[in-house]
Amino acid sequence: MTVDLATREWTTLVASPATPAYPVTIPSIIRCASFDGELVPAFVYARQDMLDKTDASVPVVIYIHGGPESQFVPNFVPANHTLSFQFLLNEMGVAVIAPNVRGSRGYGTRYMKADDQMKREDSVRDIGAILDWIAAHPSLDSKRVCVMGRSYGGYMVLASLVHYSPRLACGVATCGISDFVTFLESTAVSQPSLRSDAISVVQSTATSGSQRCARSCTTSRR
């Protein structure tokens, strides 16, 4: 838009986007208390008729953003999976929950740094809080929960499957980090000393192949 400073009149340069031809569900916002009382915000994509059910018939996808210092916001960018949310919801009857676990930006510095270094897995435990929220709602099927994410979100998927496999039906990790040692060793180095320090910390706390995924909380971010 432009504004005429003399008349203070606005002129629209680009027309408003047309209403989509397919059904669109606007997400609601919830805040789940995690293991330490931290409130974890999440966007819930679910139609009211789905939430009104009492037979636990609605399966759920938990979508975890990458980053890790990123943030999920509702949008229509295909790369962020949000368009597929509408398909899952309106065509397949699957509810979608997109949390901003600790470490996400947009909630202040304290929250963004709340999963740094040795607190890495605290963000994974936030997924446990989302699972608790699902279990507390009679319309949602807590036995049919999928966790999905890309890049660092893919790591979160793998870590969630390590910690919460009895509570998850499946996981979809797109280019997720499965071993932070090899990830740090094989990616471009912008700050060699910091990269070397991070590798040393991960190696000193991971004594087996499985622990290198589960114990990757020790990776430091700068």
PDB file of all heavy atoms in Angstrom, residues 28-34 38-44 107 129-130 133:
ATOM      1  N   SER A  28      -5.576 -23.067  16.982  1.00  0.00           N
ATOM      2  CA  SER A  28      -5.703 -22.436  18.295  1.00  0.00           C
ATOM      3  C   SER A  28      -4.372 -22.577  19.021  1.00  0.00           C
ATOM      4  O   SER A  28      -3.514 -23.363  18.624  1.00  0.00           O
ATOM      5  CB  SER A  28      -6.819 -23.089  19.107  1.00  0.00           C
ATOM      6  OG  SER A  28      -6.564 -24.489  19.268  1.00  0.00           O
ATOM      7  N   ILE A  29      -4.194 -21.811  20.075  1.00  0.00           N
ATOM      8  CA  ILE A  29      -2.940 -21.833  20.827  1.00  0.00           C
ATOM      9  C   ILE A  29      -3.188 -22.443  22.207  1.00  0.00           C
ATOM     10  O   ILE A  29      -4.148 -22.093  22.896  1.00  0.00           O
ATOM     11  CB  ILE A  29      -2.357 -20.415  20.988  1.00  0.00           C
ATOM     12  CG1 ILE A  29      -2.081 -19.795  19.617  1.00  0.00           C
ATOM     13  CG2 ILE A  29      -1.076 -20.449  21.803  1.00  0.00           C
ATOM     14  CD1 ILE A  29      -1.579 -18.373  19.681  1.00  0.00           C
ATOM     15  N   ILE A  30      -2.313 -23.373  22.579  1.00  0.00           N
ATOM     16  CA  ILE A  30      -2.349 -23.943  23.924  1.00  0.00           C
ATOM     17  C   ILE A  30      -0.993 -23.722  24.582  1.00  0.00           C
ATOM     18  O   ILE A  30      -0.020 -23.385  23.920  1.00  0.00           O
ATOM     19  CB  ILE A  30      -2.667 -25.452  23.901  1.00  0.00           C
ATOM     20  CG1 ILE A  30      -1.562 -26.215  23.133  1.00  0.00           C
ATOM     21  CG2 ILE A  30      -4.026 -25.709  23.297  1.00  0.00           C
ATOM     22  CD1 ILE A  30      -1.666 -27.719  23.254  1.00  0.00           C
ATOM     23  N   ARG A  31      -0.936 -23.902  25.884  1.00  0.00           N
ATOM     24  CA  ARG A  31       0.332 -23.857  26.619  1.00  0.00           C
ATOM     25  C   ARG A  31       0.348 -25.018  27.594  1.00  0.00           C
ATOM     26  O   ARG A  31      -0.516 -25.107  28.469  1.00  0.00           O
ATOM     27  CB  ARG A  31       0.497 -22.514  27.340  1.00  0.00           C
ATOM     28  CG  ARG A  31       0.815 -21.378  26.371  1.00  0.00           C
ATOM     29  CD  ARG A  31       0.854 -20.010  27.034  1.00  0.00           C
ATOM     30  NE  ARG A  31       1.300 -18.983  26.090  1.00  0.00           N
ATOM     31  CZ  ARG A  31       0.531 -18.412  25.181  1.00  0.00           C
ATOM     32  NH1 ARG A  31      -0.743 -18.770  25.091  1.00  0.00           N
ATOM     33  NH2 ARG A  31       1.013 -17.488  24.365  1.00  0.00           N
ATOM     34  N   CYS A  32       1.310 -25.914  27.396  1.00  0.00           N
ATOM     35  CA  CYS A  32       1.403 -27.125  28.205  1.00  0.00           C
ATOM     36  C   CYS A  32       2.492 -26.964  29.260  1.00  0.00           C
ATOM     37  O   CYS A  32       3.600 -26.518  28.943  1.00  0.00           O
ATOM     38  CB  CYS A  32       1.723 -28.334  27.333  1.00  0.00           C
ATOM     39  SG  CYS A  32       0.517 -28.660  26.048  1.00  0.00           S
ATOM     40  N   ALA A  33       2.192 -27.343  30.485  1.00  0.00           N
ATOM     41  CA  ALA A  33       3.192 -27.320  31.546  1.00  0.00           C
ATOM     42  C   ALA A  33       4.117 -28.515  31.380  1.00  0.00           C
ATOM     43  O   ALA A  33       3.670 -29.662  31.399  1.00  0.00           O
ATOM     44  CB  ALA A  33       2.529 -27.344  32.912  1.00  0.00           C
ATOM     45  N   SER A  34       5.416 -28.253  31.206  1.00  0.00           N
ATOM     46  CA  SER A  34       6.394 -29.319  31.035  1.00  0.00           C
ATOM     47  C   SER A  34       6.838 -29.856  32.394  1.00  0.00           C
ATOM     48  O   SER A  34       6.296 -29.501  33.435  1.00  0.00           O
ATOM     49  CB  SER A  34       7.589 -28.806  30.227  1.00  0.00           C
ATOM     50  OG  SER A  34       8.377 -29.871  29.761  1.00  0.00           O
ATOM     51  N   GLU A  38       7.719 -25.260  33.107  1.00  0.00           N
ATOM     52  CA  GLU A  38       7.832 -24.356  31.962  1.00  0.00           C
ATOM     53  C   GLU A  38       6.623 -24.527  31.053  1.00  0.00           C
ATOM     54  O   GLU A  38       6.224 -25.634  30.727  1.00  0.00           O
ATOM     55  CB  GLU A  38       9.105 -24.666  31.176  1.00  0.00           C
ATOM     56  CG  GLU A  38       9.380 -23.724  30.018  1.00  0.00           C
ATOM     57  CD  GLU A  38       9.864 -22.365  30.481  1.00  0.00           C
ATOM     58  OE1 GLU A  38      11.008 -22.291  30.975  1.00  0.00           O
ATOM     59  OE2 GLU A  38       9.092 -21.395  30.351  1.00  0.00           O
ATOM     60  N   LEU A  39       6.014 -23.408  30.653  1.00  0.00           N
ATOM     61  CA  LEU A  39       4.861 -23.459  29.768  1.00  0.00           C
ATOM     62  C   LEU A  39       5.332 -23.475  28.318  1.00  0.00           C
ATOM     63  O   LEU A  39       6.023 -22.565  27.866  1.00  0.00           O
ATOM     64  CB  LEU A  39       3.941 -22.265  30.023  1.00  0.00           C
ATOM     65  CG  LEU A  39       3.279 -22.230  31.397  1.00  0.00           C
ATOM     66  CD1 LEU A  39       2.406 -20.984  31.539  1.00  0.00           C
ATOM     67  CD2 LEU A  39       2.447 -23.483  31.639  1.00  0.00           C
ATOM     68  N   VAL A  40       4.952 -24.521  27.613  1.00  0.00           N
ATOM     69  CA  VAL A  40       5.377 -24.720  26.227  1.00  0.00           C
ATOM     70  C   VAL A  40       4.211 -24.375  25.310  1.00  0.00           C
ATOM     71  O   VAL A  40       3.172 -25.041  25.331  1.00  0.00           O
ATOM     72  CB  VAL A  40       5.814 -26.179  25.993  1.00  0.00           C
ATOM     73  CG1 VAL A  40       6.214 -26.389  24.544  1.00  0.00           C
ATOM     74  CG2 VAL A  40       6.953 -26.548  26.942  1.00  0.00           C
ATOM     75  N   PRO A  41       4.352 -23.328  24.479  1.00  0.00           N
ATOM     76  CA  PRO A  41       3.263 -22.968  23.566  1.00  0.00           C
ATOM     77  C   PRO A  41       3.201 -23.906  22.374  1.00  0.00           C
ATOM     78  O   PRO A  41       4.225 -24.424  21.921  1.00  0.00           O
ATOM     79  CB  PRO A  41       3.631 -21.539  23.141  1.00  0.00           C
ATOM     80  CG  PRO A  41       5.123 -21.492  23.262  1.00  0.00           C
ATOM     81  CD  PRO A  41       5.496 -22.401  24.390  1.00  0.00           C
ATOM     82  N   ALA A  42       2.002 -24.122  21.874  1.00  0.00           N
ATOM     83  CA  ALA A  42       1.827 -24.990  20.701  1.00  0.00           C
ATOM     84  C   ALA A  42       0.586 -24.566  19.946  1.00  0.00           C
ATOM     85  O   ALA A  42      -0.397 -24.099  20.535  1.00  0.00           O
ATOM     86  CB  ALA A  42       1.720 -26.451  21.132  1.00  0.00           C
ATOM     87  N   PHE A  43       0.643 -24.729  18.637  1.00  0.00           N
ATOM     88  CA  PHE A  43      -0.509 -24.460  17.775  1.00  0.00           C
ATOM     89  C   PHE A  43      -1.215 -25.775  17.486  1.00  0.00           C
ATOM     90  O   PHE A  43      -0.574 -26.744  17.076  1.00  0.00           O
ATOM     91  CB  PHE A  43      -0.068 -23.796  16.476  1.00  0.00           C
ATOM     92  CG  PHE A  43       0.443 -22.389  16.649  1.00  0.00           C
ATOM     93  CD1 PHE A  43       1.791 -22.160  16.887  1.00  0.00           C
ATOM     94  CD2 PHE A  43      -0.420 -21.309  16.592  1.00  0.00           C
ATOM     95  CE1 PHE A  43       2.274 -20.872  17.054  1.00  0.00           C
ATOM     96  CE2 PHE A  43       0.048 -20.007  16.763  1.00  0.00           C
ATOM     97  CZ  PHE A  43       1.391 -19.793  16.995  1.00  0.00           C
ATOM     98  N   VAL A  44      -2.523 -25.797  17.693  1.00  0.00           N
ATOM     99  CA  VAL A  44      -3.314 -27.007  17.490  1.00  0.00           C
ATOM    100  C   VAL A  44      -4.228 -26.819  16.286  1.00  0.00           C
ATOM    101  O   VAL A  44      -5.072 -25.925  16.262  1.00  0.00           O
ATOM    102  CB  VAL A  44      -4.158 -27.333  18.736  1.00  0.00           C
ATOM    103  CG1 VAL A  44      -5.016 -28.580  18.480  1.00  0.00           C
ATOM    104  CG2 VAL A  44      -3.267 -27.539  19.951  1.00  0.00           C
ATOM    105  N   TYR A 107      10.167 -15.892  22.275  1.00  0.00           N
ATOM    106  CA  TYR A 107       9.611 -15.926  23.631  1.00  0.00           C
ATOM    107  C   TYR A 107      10.608 -15.390  24.649  1.00  0.00           C
ATOM    108  O   TYR A 107      10.500 -15.689  25.836  1.00  0.00           O
ATOM    109  CB  TYR A 107       9.196 -17.358  23.992  1.00  0.00           C
ATOM    110  CG  TYR A 107       8.182 -17.935  23.037  1.00  0.00           C
ATOM    111  CD1 TYR A 107       8.590 -18.674  21.920  1.00  0.00           C
ATOM    112  CD2 TYR A 107       6.818 -17.716  23.213  1.00  0.00           C
ATOM    113  CE1 TYR A 107       7.677 -19.182  21.012  1.00  0.00           C
ATOM    114  CE2 TYR A 107       5.889 -18.227  22.311  1.00  0.00           C
ATOM    115  CZ  TYR A 107       6.324 -18.957  21.218  1.00  0.00           C
ATOM    116  OH  TYR A 107       5.405 -19.454  20.334  1.00  0.00           O
ATOM    117  N   ALA A 129       5.439 -33.440  27.431  1.00  0.00           N
ATOM    118  CA  ALA A 129       4.319 -32.629  27.910  1.00  0.00           C
ATOM    119  C   ALA A 129       3.205 -32.558  26.864  1.00  0.00           C
ATOM    120  O   ALA A 129       2.016 -32.581  27.215  1.00  0.00           O
ATOM    121  CB  ALA A 129       4.809 -31.228  28.263  1.00  0.00           C
ATOM    122  N   ILE A 130       3.594 -32.493  25.592  1.00  0.00           N
ATOM    123  CA  ILE A 130       2.588 -32.496  24.523  1.00  0.00           C
ATOM    124  C   ILE A 130       1.862 -33.843  24.494  1.00  0.00           C
ATOM    125  O   ILE A 130       0.637 -33.905  24.325  1.00  0.00           O
ATOM    126  CB  ILE A 130       3.253 -32.211  23.162  1.00  0.00           C
ATOM    127  CG1 ILE A 130       3.957 -30.851  23.168  1.00  0.00           C
ATOM    128  CG2 ILE A 130       2.219 -32.278  22.046  1.00  0.00           C
ATOM    129  CD1 ILE A 130       3.048 -29.668  23.393  1.00  0.00           C
ATOM    130  N   TRP A 133      -0.676 -33.853  27.150  1.00  0.00           N
ATOM    131  CA  TRP A 133      -1.849 -33.053  26.779  1.00  0.00           C
ATOM    132  C   TRP A 133      -2.765 -33.853  25.861  1.00  0.00           C
ATOM    133  O   TRP A 133      -3.989 -33.823  26.006  1.00  0.00           O
ATOM    134  CB  TRP A 133      -1.386 -31.764  26.099  1.00  0.00           C
ATOM    135  CG  TRP A 133      -2.484 -30.795  25.811  1.00  0.00           C
ATOM    136  CD1 TRP A 133      -2.957 -29.807  26.633  1.00  0.00           C
ATOM    137  CD2 TRP A 133      -3.270 -30.721  24.606  1.00  0.00           C
ATOM    138  NE1 TRP A 133      -3.985 -29.125  26.018  1.00  0.00           N
ATOM    139  CE2 TRP A 133      -4.197 -29.668  24.772  1.00  0.00           C
ATOM    140  CE3 TRP A 133      -3.269 -31.444  23.410  1.00  0.00           C
ATOM    141  CZ2 TRP A 133      -5.118 -29.317  23.791  1.00  0.00           C
ATOM    142  CZ3 TRP A 133      -4.201 -31.107  22.425  1.00  0.00           C
ATOM    143  CH2 TRP A 133      -5.113 -30.049  22.624  1.00  0.00           C
TER     144      TRP A 133
END
